Amino acid sequence: QQQVKQSPQSLIVQKGGISIINCAYENTAFDYFPWYQQFPGKGPALLIAIRPDVSEKKEGRFTISFNKSAKQFSLHIMDSQPGDSATYFCAASIGGSNYKLTFGKGTLLTVNP
Amino acid sequence: GAVVSQHPSWVICKSGTSVKIECRSLDFQATTMFWYRQFPKQSLMLMATSNEGSKATYEQGVEKDKFLINHASLTLSTLTVTSAHPEDSSFYICSANKVVGAETQYFGPGTRLLVL
């Protein structure tokens, strides 16, 4: 049973555009939702994370939007750059990052110059 | 900062041999470390949760005798793939949490294992 569903599987965006990646979860006990960025051959790096008590969190060009009633959250990358080309994973856990993360399947983002 | 290292970064071995992968938190202490497995162009699948000084907790479907995990100190966890076979070829990634501080799971750079 896949507990975190991520879409799209791949995304192509022009430089300067907005990249939007969506995730939906099933387990209402999840209370920590991070997004990770992974470059080929490297480990994931935390981009931004949100708790369900807020509907939006912004850090630089990255924004998480969270809809608790719909059990959905999304990552928006503003002014997308070629250097943002990577695989992005959403994840969820119960109790924060000290507990095991359940990952989405990932989105391969390509930003064309 | 919070840096997690893995050694080796690459390993090629013959079928039937055992391979040990180390995961170290370089500038912080971690009571909990996690081991993930990632196949090409796929997501990270949690294999086990490792707590310092106690036995690891394995996820359903992960063979405990096949993937031995030891968390001997607050900065070191090891994963040993015993009697490796070609189907064990994968990208193995560890992560670690600080004992205290920000709620962030820090990932290592991964270890690519190829079993011939």
Side-chain angles (χ1 to χ4, degrees):
Chain A
Q1 180 187 8
Q2 183 188 356
Q3 295 192 56
V4 180
K5 295 184 179 181
Q6 184 172 346
S7 63
Q9 193 172 7
S10 63
L11 179 62
I12 299 175
V13 174
Q14 290 299 119
K15 179 182 176 181
I18 302 174
S19 304
I20 302 174
I21 305 171
N22 302 297
C23 281
Y25 62 97
E26 300 167 5
N27 189 345
T28 55
F30 285 142
D31 61 0
Y32 176 72
F33 303 90
W35 283 90
Y36 285 86
Q37 179 189 57
Q38 185 180 31
F39 292 104
K42 304 294 183 182
L46 179 68
L47 269 179
I48 187 172
I50 199 168
R51 289 269 189 184
D53 54 346
V54 297
S55 60
E56 186 175 282
K57 183 175 181 180
K58 183 176 181 179
E59 291 184 2
R61 296 186 294 111
F62 301 96
T63 300
I64 296 180
S65 296
F66 186 83
N67 186 329
K68 188 174 181 179
S69 60
K71 294 186 288 184
Q72 295 176 346
F73 59 108
S74 60
L75 175 69
H76 291 64
I77 304 175
M78 311 299 289
D79 188 26
S80 299
Q81 299 296 312
D84 296 330
S85 298
T87 300
Y88 292 80
F89 293 96
C90 63
S93 75
I94 302 170
S97 69
N98 285 318
Y99 301 89
K100 62 181 183 180
L101 292 167
T102 299
F103 282 86
K105 289 193 172 184
T107 297
L108 177 60
L109 172 65
T110 301
V111 182
N112 289 328
Chain B
V3 180
V4 176
S5 71
Q6 285 185 238
H7 178 80
S9 56
W10 265 98
V11 57
I12 302 173
C13 69
K14 292 182 179 180
S15 184
T17 61
S18 294
V19 175
K20 180 184 285 188
I21 302 170
E22 292 186 348
C23 176
R24 292 182 183 273
S25 55
L26 298 184
D27 52 1
F28 66 97
Q29 294 182 323
T31 54
T32 305
M33 289 183 172
F34 302 88
W35 286 96
Y36 295 85
R37 184 174 181 176
Q38 186 178 33
F39 291 106
K41 298 186 178 181
Q42 293 191 24
S43 188
L44 287 80
M45 298 300 297
L46 180 67
M47 299 175 66
T49 302
S50 167
N51 291 296
E52 185 264 339
S54 63
K55 291 184 178 180
T57 301
Y58 290 81
E59 293 299 299
Q60 189 174 9
V62 177
E63 299 177 60
K64 301 178 183 180
D65 296 331
K66 174 77 171 174
F67 299 100
L68 300 179
I69 292 173
N70 182 274
H71 194 158
S73 75
L74 286 172
T75 59
L76 173 65
S77 177
T78 59
L79 167 67
T80 301
V81 183
T82 62
S83 186
H85 291 283
E87 58 266 28
D88 298 324
S89 299
S90 189
F91 193 48
Y92 292 89
I93 308 173
C94 71
S95 67
N97 285 352
K98 289 185 175 181
V99 175
V100 291
E103 51 171 18
T104 302
Q105 200 171 120
Y106 298 95
F107 282 81
T111 296
R112 178 79 58 190
L113 170 63
L114 177 61
V115 185
L116 302 177

